[in-house]
Amino acid sequence: MAEVASDLITNIEGYQQLLTTLSLGIAAGAFALIVQVLFHNASNANSVNLHWKWGLVTGVGIHLFSVLAGIATKSALVSSVPALHKIVWGNSSAATYLQAAGLEHISWFATGQIILFIIGTASLFAVLVRNVKVL
């Protein structure tokens, strides 16, 4: 059962890296859209008036917080490696064993990253749908 800790670390790290990469890409793309609209409006008489600008900025901000949650997840994992390998794993869920070992912060950070990613993506998708005729 010693490989359970290694598998758990690998799986959480994999999802954390995936969501961090996606959040950075999505935030960068939305930021590029903001800059492009600003440059277009500064140099063109036909300005683009985006609806729900607050949603665009909020979505970028939430994705950046998702990246921070990913960094916190990675830091919590790295600092908890010895404790994870000392856990005697059984048939219960990993969350049960993490909580019993006092390592539930790993679950909280990972869950926070997922929730922030979903909210940020939903916010940017709503802005996209609202502005589909403008873009």
Side-chain angles (χ1 to χ4, degrees), residues 18-116:
L18 173 67
L19 288 178
T20 299
T21 303
L22 288 173
S23 284
L24 282 172
I26 291 170
F31 183 75
L33 174 66
I34 293 169
V35 170
Q36 184 176 9
V37 168
L38 289 174
F39 280 133
H40 173 79
N41 288 348
S43 64
N44 199 333
N46 299 330
S47 65
V48 175
N49 186 19
L50 292 177
H51 303 283
W52 296 356
K53 294 175 190 87
W54 55 269
L56 191 59
V57 174
T58 301
V60 170
I62 291 173
H63 273 289
L64 294 178
F65 278 111
S66 176
V67 170
L68 291 177
I71 292 169
T73 302
K74 179 76 168 190
S75 298
L77 271 175
V78 168
S79 66
S80 302
V81 167
L84 288 169
H85 284 286
K86 288 182 182 177
I87 295 174
V88 178
W89 299 94
N91 294 331
S92 296
S93 70
T96 304
Y97 291 104
L98 290 175
Q99 187 175 11
L103 300 172
E104 65 270 0
H105 59 283
I106 296 171
S107 298
W108 285 109
F109 289 141
T111 303
Q113 183 182 20
I114 293 167
I115 291 170
L116 287 168

